[in-house]
Amino acid sequence: MSSPVIYMDNNATTRVAPEVLEAMLPFFSERYGNPSSMHSFGGAVGKEMREARENLADLLGCGTDEIVFTSCGTEADNTAIRSALAAQPEKRHIVTTRVEHPAVLSLCKFLERSQGYRVTYLGVDAEGKLDMQELADSLTDDTAVVSIMWANNETGVIFPIPEIATLAKSRGIFMHTDAVQAVGKIPISLKDLDVDMLALSGHKLHAPKGIGALYVRRKLPYRPFLIGGHQEHGRRAGTENTTGIIALGAAAKAAKAHIPLENTTVRALRDKLENALLAAVPDSRLNGHKEDRLPNTANISFKYVEGEAILLLLDQLGIAASSGSACTSGSLEPSHVLRAMGVPFTYAHGSIRFSLSRYTTEADVDYVINNVPGIIETLRKISPYKKGAADPLDPKPACGC
Amino acid sequence: MWEYTDKVKEHFLNPKNVGEMKDATAVGEVGSIACGDALKLFLKIEDGVIQDASFQTFGCASAIASSSALTELVKGKTVDEALKITNKDIATALGGLPREKMHCSVMGQEALEAAIKTWRGEKVASHEHSEGEIVCECFGVTDEQILSAVRENDLKTIEDVTYYTKAGGGCAKCHEKIAELIAQARGENLAAPAPKPAKRLTNIQRMRMIEEVLEKEIRPRLQLDGGDIELADIEGLVVSVTLRGRCVGCPSSQATVHGVVETILREKVDPEIQVREV
Ligand SMILES: Cc1ncc(COP(=O)(O)O)c(C=O)c1O
Ligand code: FES
């Protein structure tokens, strides 16, 4: 689409910040050297890469030697979990949650199915929160790694990673966190935490797609996923994505400067959007804990209507958002996150996620506020289910999965 | 994002015949909110002719579009004519649906059947699908529904069945049973006396038949998936074709050439036909 878009889908991906684009462009053209080369043409690129690494380390509150650049968040997650397992071959148990991104969840299911690992999938309550006691009870001497996301991509719900990491450490278990949605939105200081590994992804914080990073705590036993050249000190072979790394460094620097803004301006816009929609549309509800949540995410369900239909009508108006409805995912079941939270089917199919960024304007938010109630109204006119009419019985229990 | 045809978009953005019909003489209700889509179809039948139709739908764009197209299709038809409408007719009226969304057209056909049954005074349980035994608990789909979807749409895999009926799209517990039903339905197909061309055809007759089958049966099927096919050459029993549209570069294009094109040509024209992609 070429017409301007009201972009409310920043948890899916973000626009590359202008300062990031500017920083990276020369590395596509005149500064194409290989940082491993002996000549100064390549070496100069290595110097810029070091600076990028410093910026990222600064955002995360860790050492530069603790960062491994990867091709994406998914690679960082896969590397972390596989490394933890390979480093402790005698341990055969993994603890994770039912609401992880597929980058973790599908991997755990694969390890369970085809490599015989035992996996505990922790549940969440109606507000998307973990039961810390259940977590503590799940840990055993056989547990190799606890992999729990910092913030949920669908609802924005934040898990208490500092506490979880301390608990894991006290039991001698590796702790990995998928912080793809958290980095750049909330303050993180790894040197003060017991987190062993952390995954992040550039395109969620205004860097381009195809660059990510894995934090690996100093001295943590580590097994590389890609084996080959000496790049990243042998922890991730393959000639570096210099352009992406420079971009991620610039994005990290900008993110650090903007974290206060995310938690004031962006949060205020999100709250305005959320409160206005919940007030204007009867039979709507917020999914996820109201407080323990990313400042940019609002996941709202509209009863009696279906998410894909809402999205397409939003699209007609130039509004980009996403949905946890079954029909949008290509699967037939609504989002695994909403189901884990026990969101009733009457609501789950009509869930819409609005995710903002520092580029979202008040005019954008007002435009959405002015248009969404009409869209829901239109679809409710078509729907056979209505308020007042006998509640559409939910004859079938949620599927056992 | 789904690639919907302009017709689907048109029926979704400006659906025809929306709303409850107070003086309906027949009402058919299928689906449920748990399944993610539901359709309530209202018909006004007078002297055996459907004078008017309207609908209420909970569901995605293609469910709403299928319902809208269905109401347009049935208006003016006699009850007997209406009963001949299949989910394929609904999909065709929409210029095709993504394969994963075929169940929306099936829902339309089922609502129509249910409405006519209630009108005739036959019993239909509301919300729950009536005949047969539930095979897929996640989506409340019965063996009868699966068997008829397989027969009417020539379905071959569990995935096909999921796309057309939703059965198997949840916990996967029912996959084994679905596989048995596919075998059962297809076995019956084979057992049914297939009208085989009795004597050998002349070259010209064979070429005509190949052209006709390609045009009338194979192209529309590939077009449903956004693909297309062109006849390049016929040399004796070897048919050369070119795949177009979404078929190009599709990893399963070989499967299409052999599984779909060759199978149909062998069945309809000559069991010794070989198809080559050029
Ligand atoms: C929580 C979470 N983890 C992992 C990923 C995967 O990141 P990437 O797209 O960089 O592989 C995403 C992004 O979709 C995400 O939201
Ligand atoms: S029983 Fe069929 S998918 Fe669960």
Side-chain angles (χ1 to χ4, degrees):
Chain A
M1 212 183 339
S2 51
S3 52
V5 62
I6 308 292
Y7 192 71
M8 295 279 169
D9 204 10
N10 286 280
N11 286 12
T13 196
T14 59
R15 69 173 290 175
V16 174
E19 63 268 37
V20 171
L21 186 64
E22 195 188 337
M24 72 189 282
L25 279 179
F27 296 85
F28 277 122
S29 46
E30 62 269 25
R31 306 197 61 186
Y32 56 83
N34 187 330
S36 303
S37 298
M38 278 300 124
H39 42 71
S40 49
F41 180 64
V45 177
K47 205 166 137 256
E48 302 269 356
M49 258 178 47
R50 271 197 295 286
E51 205 176 295
R53 201 182 297 273
E54 277 161 21
N55 282 329
L56 185 57
D58 190 39
L59 175 67
L60 300 175
C62 68
T64 50
D65 57 328
E66 294 176 306
I67 288 174
V68 179
F69 288 113
T70 63
S71 68
C72 58
T74 303
E75 185 194 327
D77 280 323
N78 273 252
T79 305
I81 294 171
R82 287 177 179 277
S83 165
L85 298 176
Q88 313 164 84
E90 68 293 349
K91 296 192 174 175
R92 306 287 299 167
H93 179 226
I94 303 167
V95 173
T96 185
T97 77
R98 286 179 59 192
V99 298
E100 297 298 308
H101 186 272
V104 169
L105 203 55
S106 301
L107 173 66
C108 288
K109 291 200 170 139
F110 167 81
L111 292 168
E112 186 177 33
R113 200 173 26 177
S114 63
Q115 311 210 344
Y117 283 94
R118 205 160 60 74
V119 182
T120 301
Y121 301 94
L122 300 169
V124 294
D125 67 12
E127 295 185 307
K129 305 203 34 156
L130 283 175
D131 177 347
M132 287 297 283
Q133 191 57 47
E134 189 190 346
L135 168 62
D137 294 345
S138 72
L139 304 178
T140 71
D141 293 341
D142 193 37
T143 310
V145 60
V146 174
S147 179
I148 295 184
M149 68 200 321
W150 201 313
N152 187 273
N153 43 308
E154 292 189 26
T155 59
V157 169
I158 294 172
F159 287 145
I161 293 304
E163 282 171 54
I164 295 170
T166 304
L167 178 64
K169 186 180 183 191
S170 73
R171 301 287 305 265
I173 299 166
F174 287 23
M175 160 71 198
H176 166 64
T177 183
D178 174 348
V180 166
Q181 292 293 344
V183 172
K185 294 178 191 145
I186 55 175
I188 291 175
S189 176
L190 287 167
K191 65 178 178 303
D192 306 319
L193 301 179
D194 295 318
V195 169
D196 292 312
M197 291 177 285
L198 173 146
L200 65 93
S201 176
H203 72 101
K204 310 281 185 184
L205 58 141
H206 304 291
K209 293 145 193 74
I211 183 71
L214 176 65
Y215 158 82
V216 184
R217 196 173 48 72
R218 205 169 289 139
K219 299 210 181 84
L220 185 82
Y222 176 85
R223 300 287 180 276
F225 188 41
L226 286 187
I227 294 172
H230 55 83
Q231 294 90 350
E232 300 295 285
H233 295 284
R235 290 177 300 179
R236 201 276 188 183
T239 298
E240 299 88 341
N241 173 3
T242 52
T243 327
I245 292 171
I246 304 295
L248 183 53
K253 189 170 171 189
K256 176 142 183 184
H258 286 110
I259 282 182
L261 186 102
E262 292 278 341
N263 290 281
T264 51
T265 314
V266 177
R267 181 188 294 271
L269 286 177
R270 189 275 311 268
D271 288 347
K272 178 178 180 182
L273 173 69
E274 176 172 300
N275 293 334
L277 291 182
L278 290 170
V281 183
D283 292 302
S284 55
R285 59 171 260 168
L286 177 69
N287 296 315
H289 192 271
K290 190 149 175 54
E291 301 307 321
D292 296 334
R293 205 153 44 107
L294 292 175
N296 79 319
T297 309
N299 188 315
I300 302 176
S301 279
F302 303 100
K303 204 174 179 182
Y304 309 125
V305 290
E306 199 281 328
E308 189 215 68
I310 303 173
L311 284 188
L312 285 177
L313 291 182
L314 286 171
D315 194 57
Q316 288 289 312
L317 297 172
I319 301 170
S322 68
S323 167
S325 99
C327 295
T328 47
S329 56
S331 90
L332 292 168
E333 302 264 345
S335 130
H336 69 287
V337 175
L338 300 185
R339 273 185 298 139
M341 289 161 63
V343 173
F345 275 97
T346 44
Y347 279 103
H349 286 292
S351 77
I352 299 289
R353 178 187 70 187
F354 299 98
S355 47
L356 286 59
S357 81
R358 60 180 190 258
Y359 295 106
T360 308
T361 65
E362 182 142 24
D364 292 345
V365 166
D366 289 340
Y367 184 74
V368 175
I369 293 173
N370 289 335
N371 282 293
V372 168
I375 287 177
I376 305 301
E377 177 78 26
T378 304
L379 290 172
R380 282 186 179 166
K381 277 201 197 113
I382 302 178
S383 175
Y385 301 126
K386 299 264 170 326
K387 193 184 177 74
D391 211 36
L393 54 186
D394 222 350
K396 275 161 233 143
C399 174
C401 36
Chain B
M1 194 165 194
W2 299 111
E3 290 207 9
Y4 286 131
T5 63
D6 289 341
K7 284 230 178 78
V8 173
K9 285 186 203 148
E10 191 184 303
H11 275 283
F12 167 60
L13 294 173
N14 301 299
K16 306 263 171 30
N17 315 309
V18 174
E20 199 172 347
M21 192 192 293
K22 294 276 185 254
D23 55 351
T25 55
V27 179
E29 236 179 314
V30 291
S32 85
I33 209 159
C35 293
D37 46 23
L39 163 58
K40 199 167 177 181
L41 179 71
F42 303 87
L43 302 177
K44 184 152 59 173
I45 306 177
E46 277 165 15
D47 304 326
V49 177
I50 300 175
Q51 302 290 354
D52 200 5
S54 73
F55 76 94
Q56 290 179 315
T57 292
F58 164 79
C60 58
S62 54
I64 291 172
S66 296
S67 314
S68 167
L70 171 67
T71 55
E72 291 286 284
L73 276 177
V74 297
K75 273 204 248 175
K77 291 221 162 49
T78 66
V79 169
D80 290 332
E81 284 165 351
L83 274 177
K84 293 203 188 93
I85 293 176
T86 66
N87 69 291
K88 277 191 221 164
D89 298 326
I90 299 173
T92 308
L94 290 169
L97 278 173
R99 224 156 75 85
E100 293 86 340
K101 295 282 186 177
M102 285 304 286
H103 58 83
C104 296
S105 64
V106 174
M107 182 168 78
Q109 183 192 6
E110 286 176 357
L112 179 60
E113 264 173 38
I116 293 176
K117 272 192 184 159
T118 43
W119 177 74
R120 284 186 171 160
E122 293 166 30
K123 234 182 81 148
V124 212
S126 67
H127 291 295
E128 283 303 328
H129 304 298
S130 46
E131 285 157 50
E133 262 177 44
I134 299 269
V135 170
C136 176
E137 285 166 21
C138 291
F139 290 102
V141 185
T142 65
D143 50 0
E144 288 301 324
Q145 286 174 294
I146 294 171
L147 286 172
S148 85
V150 172
R151 284 192 203 113
E152 280 170 25
N153 299 285
D154 189 28
L155 305 184
K156 298 193 171 72
T157 63
I158 295 174
E159 199 178 47
D160 287 343
V161 170
T162 305
Y163 291 156
Y164 279 74
T165 67
K166 292 188 161 196
C171 68
K173 203 167 65 189
C174 55
H175 280 193
E176 214 169 294
K177 187 79 187 130
I178 294 177
E180 283 169 25
L181 288 169
I182 296 173
Q184 184 187 331
R186 298 190 67 82
E188 287 174 17
N189 266 347
L190 295 183
K196 281 262 160 59
K199 54 181 192 299
R200 277 205 92 79
L201 302 161
T202 68
N203 266 340
I204 303 243
Q205 280 173 326
R206 189 187 309 115
M207 276 158 91
R208 288 236 174 87
M209 268 183 90
I210 291 172
E211 277 171 9
E212 193 177 312
V213 171
L214 264 177
E215 201 53 39
K216 296 221 173 110
E217 300 195 24
I218 300 176
R219 285 191 74 192
R221 276 181 59 167
L222 299 184
Q223 283 167 347
L224 278 186
D225 289 334
D228 206 345
I229 191 166
E230 259 174 40
L231 182 59
D233 198 8
I234 306 176
E235 251 194 273
L237 287 165
V238 180
V239 180
S240 306
V241 297
T242 317
L243 293 181
R244 300 237 182 268
R246 295 240 314 254
C247 296
V248 175
C250 166
S252 51
S253 68
Q254 274 310 309
T256 306
V257 168
H258 295 287
V260 180
V261 183
E262 196 168 79
T263 311
I264 296 180
L265 286 176
R266 282 182 179 180
E267 206 173 280
K268 297 276 151 95
V269 186
D270 191 315
E272 280 163 36
I273 279 184
Q274 286 178 21
V275 177
R276 265 208 229 121
E277 193 189 345
V278 294

